[in-house]
Structure formats: C-alpha cells, structure tokens
Amino acid sequence: MAVSPHAFPPRKRRPSAGAFVSPKLADINLVKSLLSLSQEISSFKPFQCLLKRNSVSSINKSKLLSILFDELIENPASVFFSPSTLLCFEEMYIVLQRIKTLLEDCSNGSKMWMLMQIQVLSNNFHELTLELSTLLDIFPFKEIELSQDVEELVVLVRKQCGKSKPVVDPGDVFLRREVLTMLDRIEKEIVPDQLKLKKVMEDLGLRDGSSCREEIESLQDEIQNQVDEKSKSDIVSLIGLVRYANCVLFGSSTASKPDHRRQKSTSDLTIPADFRCPITLELMRDPVVVATGQTYDRKSINLWIESGHSTCPKTGQTLIHTNLIPNRALRNLITMWCREQGIPFETVGNNEKVNSVKGTKAAFEATKMTVSFLVNKLSGSQTMEAANGVVYELRALSKTDSDSRACIAEAGAIPILVRYLGSSVGLEHPNLQVNAVTTILNLSILEANKTRIVETDGALNGVIEVLRSGATWEAKGNAAATIFSLSGIHGYRKGLGRKTRVIKGLLDLAKDGPTSSQKDALLAILNLAGDRETVGRLVEGGVIQMVSGVIDELPEEAVAILEAVTRRGGLAAIAAAFNIIKKLGVILREGSDNARESASATLVTMCRKGGPEMVAELAVIPGIERIIWEVMGGGTARGRRKAATLLRILRRWAAGLDLDTNNVVDSSNMITMTVGTSRTILQA
C-alpha cells in the first residue's frame, strides 16, 4: 500500500535530512508511494517571484520521474528488487520528500525572509538535485526492464541533475539589496521613497493589504523557527518595513469590516477550572508560572505587573521577582483539550511572538514613521469613512507591542481619537466608534499611557459615554475593559469609583450585555471593588442584585465580586446578600475549584458578620455539611481552609455557642433586624 501524502503533516520550517526515514514498504507499495510523491510535487505551481528557476527545475524533474514510476507499476513483474535496488528507491523516496517539503516551505512561508535567505535556499535546492543525481547514477537499468522512451527520460533527468549549479536570479539579488538599503535608511530616520517601496512590494507579490497582513503573520511565525537572536531581530525589522508599507500603500483596505476578534470561540463551552486564568477567568493561551508558584496567562499577568502591582493576584503574596516561567505541561494539556473540542487554539499570540524578541533601531524607526503617517492622515481626514480607515490601522498597530503603543500616544493620537467616541458618531458610524475605543483600550495597556488617557481632555468622559450609550455591545465591552485597565492604578481606581456613571454603566452592562461584554464589565467591577469607598457605591447601585442575576451563567466572576463586596461592604452588603446564600450552596456543590473557594470565603464573611440568622439560612441547605466536607477534601488550599472555618462556624451554631465573629459585629440585634427585613422583602 502506498504511503499517503497526509502521513507527513504540513511543517512551518524545513526539517533536517535526519527527520525523514524510509517507509520500509514492499516492492510494489514502495513504487506506488514514489509515484504518489512525485505526482504531488508535479502538482505544485512554479513560484511567481523568487527562486523561479529552482522551483521549475524541481517540478519538471518530478514530472519526468513520475513517468518512470508509472511504468514500473504497469509492469508488476519488473518490481521484484534486489536489496541494492530497494535501497536506491528508498533513498530516492527520502530525497523527493525533502524536495516536496522545501517547496512547501517556500510556498507557504514569508517572502521577505525567503528573499533574505535567497542564497541559502538556492544552495538547498542544488544539494537536493545533486543527491538525486547520485541516486540516478547508480540506477539499475540492467535489473529493471524499461521501455526505451522511459529509459531515455531517466538518462535525461540524470544528465540535467549532473549539470546543475546553484542559481540565484540577478533580479532576486537586486531586490534583496534594495530591501537592505531601505532598512539601513530607515535606521537613519530617512523615510523610504514611496515609488521604490511600491516596486519592492509588487516584486515580492505583496500587492494589497491582505497579502501584507499575511506576510506579517508569516514573519511572526518565522521568528519561532529561529534559534539565534540576530535572525529574530532581523525579522522584527522586516515586520516593521512591511507594516509601514501596508499603511502607506494599502492602509484602509479592510477598515469597513467589523472586527470580531474579541468574541471568544470557547464562550459556549465549559472550560476546565485549571485551564482558566485566575485574573480574567478566560482560557489560558500562554500559561506561565510566577514566583509564588501560581499559573496565569502571560498577557494577563504582564498587564497586572505593568499596572504597578508587586503581589500575586491569587495569594496576595509579594513577588520576590517578576520572571515568568512557561508552564509547558499545562499548555500541552490545554492544546489537547482544544483539539478534542474542535476549537482553534494558538499557544502564543502573534504579539507575544514579537515582544519576546529584542527590538531593532530599524524596527523602532519604521514604527515611528508608520505612526506619524497615520496620525497626520487622521488629522487631515475629511470624511468619517476616511477616518475609520486610519483608526482601524491604528487599532491594529496598537495591538502589536509596547513601542507601537508608546509611539501612537506620543504622536498625539489620543486627543484625535476622542473625537470619535461620542454618541453621534456611534449612531452614524458604529464601526468607527468601536475602532476608536478599542485603540484607546490597547494604548492603556502601557503604564505611561494610562496617565496620558486620564489627563487628556475628554478622553475619560468619552470612554464612560461609550460604556453608557455605545452603539454596539462590542464598543461597550471594550469601554468596560478600558475602565478595568485604567483602574489598575490605585489613584485612578478611587477616582473611577466615585463616578456614578461608571458604576451604573458597568452594572447595566453586566446585567444586560452578551457574555463577552458581561465578563469585561464584571472584571472592571471586581477591580473597582478593591477600594472600600467604591464598594459602598456599588452596593447602593445594586451590585448584589446584579450578581444574583448572573451567578448562574457566570459563577466564577460573580462569586469573586460577591466575596470582595461582602468583605469590604459592611452590614448593608451582608444584608443585601442574604438571598444568595442558597445559590452559594449550589456553587459549593457544583462549582469549579476557584468558584468554590470564593463561595467558601464569602460564606465565612457573611456568617461572621451577619450573625445567627445567616448561619441558620446556610444550615437548612440539604446536605450542607457533606458538601463542605467535599470542598475540604479537594480544590485549592485556600478553599479548603475557608471550608474548614465554615464547618466550624456551623457546628458552633448548632451547639448553641457564640460564633467566631472576631469582634466584627457589635450589635447582633441590629444585624438580626436588618436581615429579617431582607427576608420579609424576599417573602413578599
């Protein structure tokens, strides 16, 4: 049986010769595999730019060899090979497989990087041709009966291979020199000539925005295939050049298309608790371990640290260092789970691929030139459609790295973006409003930009207006995410918490929005709940009622907020949370480890501060002691400790002993009266 071509999955880079092994098949099946492989190579289209002659030569030789293999299959009597002949064909199979992989690599990879490696790749084609020539030199014509025409074809291929020399098209050499010259001039802060830039892009087949974006993605992938830092840095420079060319030559080609990248493909799935980031509660894409041993998604913990925090978000312990160690075992488990669920998964996002590499002067200057071009263009935009195209490009650029975010803010983009946050813009041009607020969200990731946004006249009010009356749920969700980002700084958190419009906007979005927007709002509320003064306003605004409404759909987020609010909210929060006790009991029984931990901690706080009425409400839940024992037997360490405390409180109450209130409550009569009033309202 012939080896299926699908036995060799697509590769991002060409493997070494040792990566291929002989298929070890019987005579006829080996020939069938050779025929299939040669036909597959023959089906390749010659390269349209770069290495044209190399690709044409390899494809044509494979076509001629397929005629040989086809004749052998039609004449089965001739395919009982001697060991030496069998070895020759096995080696030929390996060489053809390597030719196929090299063609695939060049077809699917980055054109810019291919140009930089043009001599190396040409040598690779030549080496494979020489290996094929050697095998044809020892081809056993006497042992195998071939027709005269086919034998002449084999001899022809052998002669062609023997005369082969490394070939690099002079046009490719010139094009490479042009690109290197451009990079050198950019490094010296000289803006590239637009006509020359366009000619270079066209010669590489990059003739529109779509092909440029694909090229950038290919370059970002190629970074992962390199081992030396210089090659990685060179690729970063090329990314900067292509990104600049894309903006200058093809800037607004996709601006009218809405961006749905913030929608989660896993939103309808129950994600295992261990696969969720403790900060965002989303599926981790790049899990890393911090100094305390806790695992977070790299993007989330980086944002936490960049926001000025020096503690572990989950344990509260001070981080003795900020090194992030990849949790490869967990990443592999997440990848396997995603594959089983049939959902897409990338272990590391494109931004992190570039951010992990040291930047270059050329890349930085290219970014500055790109930003300057876009901001100047936005300043002079005459129509909303034109402005939308530029803002879309700024949005995309602001996602890439810290340098881009710094350059955009320093170029004065924030005051201009504020123009497009208003409700009137949202009504007429909803995509423009989404692009503008999302750009500000991306900029806010950088610590210095938080201050710029807050201090820019109208920026914060514009974001709040989008949160309250944005034209789309995406706009509102991204405004909520911006509030979350800005509230990472303690001083801004207090200021935001004092704004009634922020509190109401977040609570309304958490109650009424779609799942992705709800999560953005809940995370912002959780951040604001870190301030005791703000918690009082949240309670007055109805945060407990909101939590009660969403706790069934988003238990982890809701219970985390409830824990924070009851811990800092005083008697009013405890009284308002009375009717949620039974729901917390359900989470103790059925929730994830993180949700059970928060539920246990919340119930401990409520029982200690709320007095006997609270404990009595918990005690009537069927099987509550068994449920608490189950929490004590598994889950997180903190969850087990809180469950043990909760069990002790229940047993002291059942024995008629005073509760372990830690002197938090001074007036049990007042608490009983307040809780009783809440119960009366519930019964009504």
Side-chain angles (χ1 to χ4, degrees):
M1 178 179 177
V3 175
S4 166
H6 299 293
F8 295 90
R11 298 174 182 269
K12 286 186 178 179
R13 64 180 303 186
R14 186 173 71 89
S16 64
F20 297 111
V21 295
S22 165
K24 299 298 181 185
L25 297 172
D27 298 347
I28 187 65
N29 288 332
L30 176 58
V31 175
K32 287 180 179 179
S33 295
L34 284 164
L35 176 61
S36 175
L37 187 54
S38 60
Q39 289 177 336
E40 194 171 351
I41 296 172
S42 302
S43 67
F44 276 82
K45 293 182 179 179
F47 300 158
Q48 297 303 305
C49 59
L50 306 180
L51 299 171
K52 293 180 184 178
R53 294 169 62 182
N54 298 89
S55 64
V56 169
S57 175
S58 297
I59 292 169
N60 288 342
K61 289 180 177 65
S62 295
K63 287 179 180 179
L64 296 176
L65 288 176
S66 67
I67 298 173
L68 163 66
F69 303 134
D70 189 45
E71 173 155 313
L72 290 175
I73 291 173
E74 290 180 358
N75 185 15
S78 65
V79 291
F80 294 100
F81 304 141
S82 66
S84 60
T85 302
L86 186 63
L87 180 60
C88 176
F89 275 17
E90 287 176 347
E91 292 297 319
M92 192 176 294
Y93 181 91
I94 293 174
V95 171
L96 288 175
Q97 182 63 50
R98 290 170 60 198
I99 291 173
K100 174 199 162 190
T101 306
L102 182 56
L103 287 168
E104 284 179 336
D105 194 40
C106 293
S107 297
N108 301 327
S110 159
K111 294 180 176 62
M112 274 284 187
W113 188 240
M114 194 164 124
L115 179 64
M116 295 298 103
Q117 303 295 310
I118 197 75
Q119 186 63 61
V120 174
L121 292 172
S122 178
N123 290 339
N124 288 341
F125 275 106
H126 177 61
E127 288 169 6
L128 290 172
T129 301
L130 291 181
E131 289 185 34
L132 190 59
S133 174
T134 300
L135 293 172
L136 292 175
D137 283 340
I138 61 173
F139 189 83
F141 289 104
K142 295 181 180 179
E143 181 180 333
I144 300 175
E145 296 181 6
L146 297 174
S147 66
Q148 184 176 354
D149 291 343
V150 173
E151 186 172 336
E152 289 175 354
L153 279 177
V154 176
V155 172
L156 175 62
V157 174
R158 184 174 62 187
K159 289 180 179 179
Q160 289 177 343
C161 291
K163 295 178 180 179
S164 174
K165 294 181 180 179
V167 176
V168 178
D169 192 295
D172 295 347
V173 175
F174 176 78
L175 187 58
R176 182 177 184 275
R177 192 182 303 120
E178 284 285 283
V179 170
L180 292 175
T181 300
M182 278 187 183
L183 290 174
D184 183 62
R185 290 171 66 83
I186 287 174
E187 189 170 334
K188 296 174 182 176
E189 303 181 28
I190 301 173
V191 177
D193 180 87
Q194 192 163 328
L195 291 177
K196 284 187 177 181
L197 182 63
K198 184 177 182 181
K199 180 67 167 57
V200 167
M201 294 295 115
E202 287 179 346
D203 288 347
L204 286 169
L206 307 177
R207 297 183 173 88
D208 53 36
S210 176
S211 60
C212 281
R213 284 187 295 277
E214 289 177 6
E215 174 65 14
I216 291 171
E217 290 177 2
S218 296
L219 285 166
Q220 289 168 336
D221 286 338
E222 190 60 47
I223 288 177
Q224 305 306 301
N225 297 333
Q226 305 303 318
V227 293
D228 64 291
E229 292 303 315
K230 185 180 185 308
S231 295
K232 292 181 179 181
S233 297
D234 289 344
I235 295 173
V236 171
S237 298
L238 293 172
I239 290 173
L241 176 61
V242 177
R243 188 173 285 134
Y244 173 77
N246 181 33
C247 288
V248 172
L249 302 177
F250 321 111
S252 59
S253 57
T254 60
S256 60
K257 298 180 182 179
D259 191 326
H260 301 293
R261 282 173 289 184
R262 282 184 53 80
Q263 297 180 358
K264 314 296 190 299
S265 59
T266 56
S267 58
D268 296 329
L269 296 172
T270 301
I271 303 172
D274 289 340
F275 294 174
R276 290 178 181 267
C277 175
I279 297 175
T280 64
L281 303 178
E282 296 291 349
L283 180 70
M284 286 188 279
R285 301 287 171 174
D286 186 17
V288 294
V289 180
V290 298
T292 59
Q294 300 295 326
T295 297
Y296 301 93
D297 190 60
R298 184 186 296 274
K299 183 177 181 181
S300 303
I301 192 64
N302 270 334
L303 177 58
W304 173 266
I305 294 171
E306 288 175 3
S307 297
H309 296 93
S310 59
T311 58
C312 173
K314 191 170 182 181
T315 66
Q317 295 174 268
T318 300
L319 297 173
I320 59 176
H321 62 76
T322 57
N323 296 334
L324 304 178
I325 303 170
N327 190 335
R328 301 187 188 282
L330 181 58
R331 184 178 62 187
N332 292 337
L333 289 174
I334 295 173
T335 304
M336 291 171 60
W337 180 80
C338 288
R339 190 181 300 121
E340 290 170 359
Q341 299 298 325
I343 59 176
F345 177 77
E346 295 179 2
T347 55
V348 182
N350 287 339
N351 299 345
E352 285 73 19
K353 293 176 185 178
V354 178
N355 290 341
S356 62
V357 182
K358 185 177 180 180
T360 65
K361 180 71 161 54
F364 181 71
E365 293 302 330
T367 298
K368 285 178 62 177
M369 290 176 187
T370 303
V371 168
S372 177
F373 174 83
L374 290 173
V375 173
N376 289 337
K377 189 174 180 181
L378 185 60
S379 299
S381 295
Q382 301 299 314
T383 66
M384 290 295 186
E385 288 76 11
N388 191 28
V390 181
V391 176
Y392 178 90
E393 296 301 331
L394 284 171
R395 171 182 178 174
L397 187 59
S398 65
K399 282 190 66 176
T400 57
D401 52 46
S402 296
D403 283 345
S404 297
R405 289 186 274 271
C407 289
I408 291 171
E410 289 169 1
I414 296 175
I416 304 175
L417 291 169
V418 172
R419 304 174 189 169
Y420 308 113
L421 298 178
S423 54
S424 59
V425 174
L427 289 173
E428 297 292 331
H429 305 276
N431 284 341
L432 177 54
Q433 186 186 61
V434 170
N435 288 332
V437 74
T438 307
T439 304
I440 292 177
L441 166 61
N442 294 339
L443 294 177
S444 73
I445 295 172
L446 189 66
E447 182 79 8
N449 285 348
K450 289 177 170 54
T451 301
R452 287 192 177 100
I453 293 169
V454 172
E455 294 182 353
T456 296
D457 187 32
L460 187 55
N461 285 334
V463 171
I464 295 171
E465 183 175 353
V466 175
L467 173 67
R468 293 295 312 280
S469 58
T472 66
W473 290 119
E474 184 183 6
K476 291 183 177 182
N478 288 352
T482 306
I483 298 295
F484 166 77
S485 178
L486 296 176
S487 64
I489 295 180
H490 180 71
Y492 298 156
R493 181 192 306 163
K494 292 182 72 70
L496 289 165
R498 293 191 181 110
K499 295 181 181 293
T500 304
R501 291 188 302 154
V502 172
I503 300 296
K504 182 168 175 50
L506 291 174
L507 291 174
D508 288 345
L509 182 60
K511 285 189 293 187
D512 304 326
T515 300
S516 59
S517 298
Q518 280 182 302
K519 289 182 179 180
D520 288 322
L522 291 172
L523 288 172
I525 292 170
L526 183 58
N527 231 19
L528 294 179
D531 177 68
R532 188 176 296 276
E533 183 183 338
T534 301
V535 168
R537 293 188 177 88
L538 286 169
V539 173
E540 292 174 5
V543 68
I544 304 294
Q545 293 75 10
M546 179 277 293
V547 165
S548 180
V550 303
I551 197 168
D552 295 331
E553 290 76 26
L554 299 167
E556 292 196 13
E557 296 90 337
V559 179
I561 290 173
L562 190 60
E563 179 189 354
V565 170
T566 54
R567 188 168 66 247
R568 301 184 181 92
L571 297 180
I574 299 295
F578 186 86
N579 66 322
I580 306 182
I581 290 180
K582 287 186 172 61
K583 291 188 176 184
L584 291 174
V586 173
I587 291 174
L588 281 181
R589 184 176 63 247
E590 302 174 355
S592 66
D593 287 345
N594 288 335
R596 292 163 81 183
E597 175 188 318
S598 293
S600 299
T602 303
L603 286 168
V604 167
T605 301
M606 292 174 67
C607 289
R608 281 178 169 171
K609 293 184 178 181
E613 288 281 346
M614 289 287 180
V615 187
E617 187 71 11
L618 177 64
V620 298
I621 297 176
I624 186 61
E625 281 205 16
R626 179 181 56 79
I627 294 170
I628 294 175
W629 273 108
E630 289 177 356
V631 178
M632 291 169 60
T636 66
R638 179 171 180 261
R640 294 195 297 270
R641 291 196 305 272
K642 292 295 182 180
T645 302
L646 191 60
L647 183 61
R648 185 168 61 252
I649 291 173
L650 272 174
R651 289 187 170 178
R652 290 180 66 84
W653 172 84
L657 301 175
D658 291 336
L659 299 180
D660 179 16
T661 60
N662 291 335
N663 297 319
V664 173
V665 180
D666 296 323
S667 176
S668 59
N669 290 334
M670 181 181 69
I671 297 170
T672 302
M673 180 182 67
T674 306
V675 173
T677 303
S678 299
R679 175 177 286 178
T680 302
I681 294 172
L682 288 172
Q683 290 173 343

